[in-house]
Amino acid sequence: MRKKDVKIGLIGFGTVGTGVVRLVKSYQDDLLKQTGTTIQIERILVKDPLKNRPLSVEGKRLTTDPTAILDDPNIDIIIEVMGGIEPAKSYIQRALEKGKHVVTANKDLMALHGDELLHLAEASGCDLYYEASVAGGVPILKTITDGFSSDRITKMIGIVNGTTNYILTKMSRENVPFERALEEAQSFGYAEQDPSSDVDGLDAARKMAILASLGFHTGMNVDDVTCKGIRNITVDDLAYGKQLGYTMKLVGIAKRDERGIEVGVEPTFVKDTHPLAAVNGVYNAIYVYGEAVGETMFYGPGAGELPTATAVLSDLVTVVKNIQLGITGKNKSHTYTEKILKEDGDIYANFFLRLIVQDKCGVLAKLADWMAKEEISLEKVFQKPYATDKNEAELILVTHSASKKSIEQLLSKLKQSDLIHEIKSCFRVEG
Ligand SMILES: NC(=O)C1=CN([C@@H]2O[C@H](COP(=O)(O)OP(=O)(O)OC[C@H]3O[C@@H](n4cnc5c(N)ncnc54)[C@H](OP(=O)(O)O)[C@@H]3O)[C@@H](O)[C@H]2O)C=CC1
Ligand SMILES: N[C@@H](CC=O)C(=O)O
């Protein structure tokens, strides 16, 4: 039977929760026309009911008691925008067990326990949607599950963390120091409660695990994703990149071929001609390569109140439509690809190396010899004087495609040599 009024329990009233309340209020008419029901936010769970909030709601709607939402039989759908693993996981489990549908923006939880929760949702005949968990306002999950259902995705390269993209853009365009750029990202509500998960790449790794699971139809865990953050990037690295026609991005790369699957997040030099190089500030983009369609790219704000709330609301509309049609509990993804993770010897890329070396005859020849032994060939090299009093030079090298394993073996040889005084940086180059 079609419902005339759908009641929501909102868990969390911070950046995203505030956006959800604003949009439900201002789009009530559109929501009614699309779904045939009014949508009411019945109760809102918060930690501190006395906190000053940018948006006021009637006092009685706020609660600190989760059972006031989870055990209320009038509430049809839970929107979880609180974040973290616990108690969010227990709340979602309880909601599903009670027959409530769930929409969440929680990538930490979905990357770690998504499979278990999706099974529970299916068993309970409930919907569980999580579009906002990847790339904020970019509707990428629906795109890869529905839009690409007739194709075979072999590669996804994503700028999926707004905070780090904001920081890198500020550092490279305006020379703003790292710490100040991070503070700005926090003030806009882009960063996680603990921003080290943004800066150290974990947030992007969680999103890439979700994307790879859906895009490759396999069960990827966050532990399957290699992960490096942007903490050690210097303004000098960015400047050398610029000189070579590269832009630094924190990029998630998911690829599959006949040897298996690789998924990793790391600071990467993207060639300026690649469409991802033009994605700046809090914007995210996911480049998706489908065997049949070829290259595609999806772009938009990756964080922030209203962009993220649009993704939550679009899931909400889907759930309400499913309720009206009596087809809830059927959105579990299909996993039929065997998860074979590639070894480092099977992962190929071009690499950028910045070395401080002894400035004397034969160093370059020795380096070329070590590289040849690892089957690494050079695409570009240039040298600059470094500390002339110590007779040092700075060498910038870009390799042709080489395996990650051979680069790691080369780096360990360089570390042992007296000719190489310091390995300043080593980045993947994409594009
Ligand atoms: N911010 C963004 O741009 C994006 C965020 N997300 C995800 O959305 C979720 C929410 O993020 P965001 O809105 O930024 O987070 P905030 O920190 O701004 O808000 C969290 C909200 O949850 C409430 N809360 C936290 N812990 C508890 C608890 N134990 N019991 C009851 N209430 C609690 C807080 O209450 P109180 O207000 O009283 O402190 C607050 O209202 C996270 O999973 C995040 O990763 C996804 C995409 C983008
Ligand atoms: N902290 C995240 C928020 C959205 O997922 C980001 O910066 O992208």
Side-chain angles (χ1 to χ4, degrees):
M1 202 181 70
R2 289 175 76 84
K3 278 184 91 78
K4 293 233 161 45
D5 186 24
V6 167
K7 295 202 183 325
I8 310 292
L10 183 63
I11 298 188
F13 193 28
T15 304
V16 184
T18 304
V20 168
V21 174
R22 279 192 217 280
L23 290 187
V24 168
K25 238 187 205 165
S26 41
Y27 294 166
Q28 193 56 236
D29 202 35
D30 292 287
L31 295 173
L32 175 66
K33 282 181 185 137
Q34 287 182 61
T35 62
T37 94
T38 53
I39 293 177
Q40 304 283 347
I41 296 187
E42 198 69 0
R43 300 303 295 268
I44 305 177
L45 183 74
V46 292
K47 201 156 50 177
D48 175 6
L50 302 175
K51 194 170 171 179
N52 262 339
R53 298 185 186 274
L55 189 65
S56 62
V57 290
E58 278 170 59
K60 72 176 175 58
R61 286 194 198 273
L62 293 189
T63 177
T64 53
D65 173 11
T67 61
I69 290 178
L70 300 171
D71 295 350
D72 180 345
N74 293 315
I75 289 180
D76 308 285
I77 303 172
I78 299 295
I79 296 179
E80 185 274 308
V81 283
M82 173 176 87
I85 302 298
E86 281 298 351
K89 183 177 179 225
S90 307
Y91 292 172
I92 288 179
Q93 280 171 323
R94 180 139 167 194
L96 293 171
E97 282 158 5
K98 297 250 167 184
K100 298 183 194 312
H101 309 282
V102 175
V103 171
T104 177
N106 193 332
K107 59 257 165 170
D108 307 23
L109 185 59
M110 290 310 289
L112 216 58
H113 300 290
D115 218 30
E116 179 189 340
L117 293 172
L118 286 162
H119 273 99
L120 175 59
E122 191 185 33
S124 316
C126 291
D127 275 349
L128 168 57
Y129 281 90
Y130 49 104
E131 181 65 67
S133 65
V134 180
V138 187
I140 188 64
L141 300 191
K142 282 196 180 82
T143 302
I144 58 174
T145 48
D146 298 344
F148 277 84
S149 56
S150 57
D151 204 347
R152 188 168 187 277
I153 296 172
T154 53
K155 182 159 74 171
M156 290 178 278
I157 309 182
I159 294 175
V160 287
N161 183 269
T163 302
T164 46
N165 205 42
Y166 182 88
I167 295 172
L168 290 173
T169 305
K170 282 277 170 178
M171 282 173 75
S172 70
R173 285 189 165 177
E174 297 168 36
N175 268 334
V176 171
F178 175 92
E179 289 302 338
R180 212 178 85 209
L182 172 59
E183 276 167 26
E184 285 179 23
Q186 286 176 295
S187 75
F188 293 128
Y190 303 154
E192 296 302 303
Q193 269 178 11
D194 174 5
S196 57
S197 69
D198 294 295
V199 168
D200 295 327
L202 194 57
D203 178 79
R206 289 170 178 146
K207 292 166 177 168
M208 289 310 296
I210 295 173
L211 278 179
S213 294
L214 294 175
F216 298 158
H217 303 284
T218 189
M220 296 296 292
N221 303 316
V222 71
D223 296 341
D224 300 324
V225 183
T226 58
C227 174
K228 254 192 233 158
I230 64 162
R231 239 178 245 282
N232 299 324
I233 307 268
T234 63
V235 174
D236 283 350
D237 289 325
L238 302 183
Y240 279 121
K242 234 179 226 168
Q243 243 173 287
L244 289 163
Y246 302 151
T247 303
M248 173 61 75
K249 297 288 174 195
L250 182 71
V251 156
I253 298 178
K255 288 184 185 173
R256 65 165 159 170
D257 56 30
E258 63 291 343
R259 283 170 302 197
I261 295 175
E262 61 171 281
V263 189
V265 169
E266 60 186 296
T268 300
F269 273 131
V270 176
K271 288 192 182 155
D272 287 344
T273 47
H274 193 282
L276 285 173
V279 177
N280 288 309
V282 71
Y283 278 81
N284 281 193
I286 301 96
Y287 166 98
V288 184
Y289 188 90
E291 267 178 0
V293 71
E295 295 183 295
T296 63
M297 197 165 103
F298 306 91
Y299 172 81
E305 183 187 314
L306 291 181
T308 311
T310 62
V312 172
L313 242 69
S314 110
D315 278 347
L316 179 61
V317 169
T318 305
V319 175
V320 177
K321 284 181 177 168
N322 288 348
I323 294 174
Q324 301 294 45
L325 294 169
I327 54 164
T328 55
K330 300 194 169 29
N331 74 315
K332 194 166 75 63
S333 65
H334 301 280
T335 50
Y336 49 79
T337 307
E338 196 188 348
K339 184 172 77 179
I340 300 170
L341 296 177
K342 282 188 196 173
E343 303 287 333
D344 282 355
D346 284 328
I347 297 177
Y348 279 80
N350 297 35
F351 291 90
F352 163 101
L353 289 171
R354 205 176 130 212
L355 310 173
I356 307 301
V357 302
Q358 207 174 325
D359 193 6
K360 74 172 197 188
C361 182
V363 173
L364 203 53
K366 187 74 198 155
L367 191 60
D369 182 43
W370 285 324
M371 291 176 88
K373 288 201 173 98
E374 299 299 340
E375 296 185 28
I376 300 169
S377 69
L378 273 177
E379 183 192 316
K380 287 179 193 151
V381 56
F382 68 88
Q383 177 177 334
K384 284 179 58 184
Y386 190 64
T388 38
D389 55 328
K390 290 198 215 147
N391 203 26
E392 287 180 327
E394 183 160 23
L395 268 187
I396 311 294
L397 318 166
V398 180
T399 74
H400 282 296
S401 180
S403 78
K404 208 169 155 187
K405 182 175 174 193
S406 40
I407 290 290
E408 272 151 19
Q409 283 171 349
L410 174 70
L411 292 177
S412 86
K413 267 189 198 152
L414 301 185
K415 276 181 198 148
Q416 287 159 24
S417 162
D418 294 342
L419 300 176
I420 312 298
H421 292 181
E422 193 183 345
I423 300 167
K424 281 274 188 196
S425 39
C426 173
F427 301 117
R428 189 168 170 151
V429 178
E430 198 59 43

